[in-house]
Amino acid sequence: MPRILLAAAGSYGDLAPYTGLGARLLADGHHVALATHDSYAPLVHAAGLEFRRLPADPRTRHPDPDPAAPARPAVPAGRRDLLRRAAAFVKELGGGLADAAQQGPGTDLLLLSATTAPLGRNLAEAMGIPALELPLVPGAPTGDFAPVVSGGRSLGRWGNRAAGRLSLRVIDRLYADATRELRARLGLPPATPRTVRRRAEAAGRPVLHGFSEVLVPRPADWPSGLEVVGNWWPWHAPDTQLPPALSDFLAAGPPPVFLGFGSMAGGEGERLGDLAVRALRRAKLRGVLQSGWAGLTAAPTDDILTIGTVPHDLLFPHMAAVVHHCGAGTAAAGLRAGVPTVPVPVTADQPFWAARLASLGAATAPIPFKDLAADDAAARLADALGRAATGPALRDRAGHAARRLATEDGSGAVAATVARLTT
């Protein structure tokens, strides 16, 4: 039985899709261990996978590398703050990845997310085994679009490619210290992240991207081996049902609007909950608020319900529209359900996915999260809610996209490559 170590780090959206992929590989006869943070151990175990711990759990770690530092905002205050936090996160991650690999019997194949790949390449070299990179976002330079963390605006074909190359150099610098420490621990000769990355590129190792060409067609200027295979979806038990209170709420009136910010906006739940209620009232719509890391909440009424964790593939098809931060997984889940989106991107790749949904015609124009602090935020959000929940054009486009997504089998494409690499 081939033994696979799948390593994914970050927020729920960075990890959850790999549980569904791991379950698929398990069903194919592989032994699958998923290395990730303690917060997600129950989800990993429920999917039938072996759990191995990675440090730097975003749910519990201090957002500043110095625990004595003053409290920092839950949402990074600009790109520099985002990079600073990312560097501290990566530094913790390197040693933990090596620890995870040493647990249990030998490993035949590494599967790596975007956050673990720059470190995992070194691990694969030391172990003498293949590694398959499985990012959830496009990372290779292309003329088709600017890097996903640049805000979603095109810089022209030459500018997009140049920015893409610069983005890779930034990532290389971000992982430099952790790579140096990891290679020393593994007994490998010194090498920079750029050198290790280029070796992998020169070897022609496949990179399978877990998103749909419905949103991002494969760039024609990408080198061979970089493929877009379609989403792999979070695992949940086949007999999972909606909570009774939620089912009763859905049955009591017309389809409501979903509002949630996932792992974003920690600590802003009361303000955002109040804003959501005012916007829903103004638009004359019912609403389902998902608490998430923000702690989004509102007083229960006949037309507004607050919920905890519920699988989006069960919930979203019952919605008139969905309002969210546009993380890659949530954006895809809304599209899969065939419902219009009101994108409220916060940071990182979220403006990119928000712009993609809008250009597809399945979403309203994005409302940047920072704009929710404006005096007219409730009115602006209410207007977008009304258009998304009642506009037939948006729903038609979303439905068309959902039918295309239904024909894809991202997990199957990965499983086929894994079978080739392990035989």
Side-chain angles (χ1 to χ4, degrees):
M1 177 187 294
R3 302 186 69 87
I4 296 171
L5 175 60
L6 202 169
S11 68
Y12 175 86
D14 298 314
L15 168 279
Y18 297 100
T19 61
L21 176 59
R24 168 61 187 267
L25 296 173
L26 185 69
D28 284 351
H30 302 283
H31 178 276
V32 184
L34 177 49
T36 189
H37 311 297
D38 288 332
S39 294
Y40 311 121
L43 181 60
V44 174
H45 288 307
L49 312 176
E50 178 190 345
F51 171 76
R52 298 189 187 179
R53 179 183 181 275
L54 289 182
D57 190 333
R59 289 300 303 263
T60 58
R61 72 187 298 271
H62 194 279
D64 195 287
D66 176 8
R72 300 175 65 80
V75 177
R79 198 163 299 164
R80 180 175 297 180
D81 188 24
L82 179 65
L83 289 173
R84 183 167 181 252
R85 298 189 191 195
F89 173 79
V90 166
K91 192 170 179 63
E92 285 188 65
L93 200 57
L97 193 60
D99 291 338
Q102 291 173 354
Q103 298 175 29
T107 299
D108 300 303
L109 175 67
L110 288 176
L111 302 183
L112 304 169
S113 71
T115 50
T116 60
L119 298 168
R121 294 172 192 138
N122 303 282
L123 196 59
E125 178 184 342
M127 299 171 72
I129 62 174
L132 177 60
E133 298 183 25
L134 303 173
L136 298 174
V137 298
T142 175
D144 288 4
F145 46 80
V148 296
V149 295
S150 66
R153 290 185 179 180
S154 177
L155 305 172
R157 295 199 64 82
W158 183 89
N160 289 341
R161 279 191 291 267
R165 291 191 291 269
L166 176 60
S167 178
L168 290 181
R169 289 198 291 271
V170 170
I171 294 171
D172 290 340
R173 287 198 297 269
L174 187 66
Y175 281 82
D177 290 344
T179 296
R180 182 175 58 254
E181 294 177 5
L182 180 59
R183 291 186 71 84
R185 171 175 171 171
L186 297 172
L188 296 172
T192 65
R194 183 182 185 188
T195 298
V196 177
R197 171 172 56 81
R198 287 190 163 182
R199 286 175 187 165
E201 293 169 351
R205 296 176 184 171
V207 177
L208 307 184
H209 295 80
F211 53 82
S212 173
E213 289 200 87
V214 173
L215 275 178
V216 185
R218 182 190 183 279
D221 58 356
W222 270 7
S224 62
L226 274 62
E227 302 299 336
V228 178
V229 300
N231 297 89
W232 36 88
W233 304 101
W235 180 90
H236 64 77
D239 59 353
T240 302
Q241 301 284 327
L242 294 176
L246 177 55
S247 294
D248 292 345
F249 179 82
L250 294 173
V257 170
F258 168 90
L259 298 98
F261 296 95
S263 58
M264 295 289 105
E268 298 194 53
E270 185 175 350
R271 179 182 73 84
L272 293 172
D274 176 69
L275 174 64
V277 169
R278 287 188 285 125
L280 288 165
R281 295 272 190 270
R282 191 177 185 116
K284 297 181 172 56
L285 293 167
R286 302 201 312 148
V288 171
L289 279 55
Q290 190 165 48
S291 55
W293 289 17
L296 195 67
T297 189
T301 64
D302 289 343
D303 57 357
I304 294 176
L305 179 70
T306 301
I307 62 171
T309 301
V310 174
H312 286 164
D313 65 329
L314 296 183
L315 176 63
F316 281 6
H318 298 282
M319 300 295 108
V322 292
V323 182
H324 55 73
H325 60 299
C326 263
T330 315
L335 206 58
R336 184 189 192 190
V339 296
T341 296
V342 177
V344 186
V346 182
T347 188
D349 61 323
Q350 295 158 20
F352 174 83
W353 297 111
R356 287 279 157 172
L357 286 173
S359 66
L360 190 64
T364 64
I367 303 174
F369 180 80
K370 61 182 178 59
D371 290 0
L372 294 187
D375 292 340
D376 65 343
R380 184 176 176 185
L381 183 57
D383 178 67
L385 291 177
R387 285 184 284 113
T390 62
L394 289 174
R395 181 165 288 274
D396 287 347
R397 293 292 294 174
H400 177 69
R403 290 188 289 274
R404 291 177 60 191
L405 258 67
T407 67
E408 300 176 348
D409 182 11
S411 291
V414 176
T417 301
V418 167
R420 177 171 58 82
L421 293 173
T422 54
T423 53

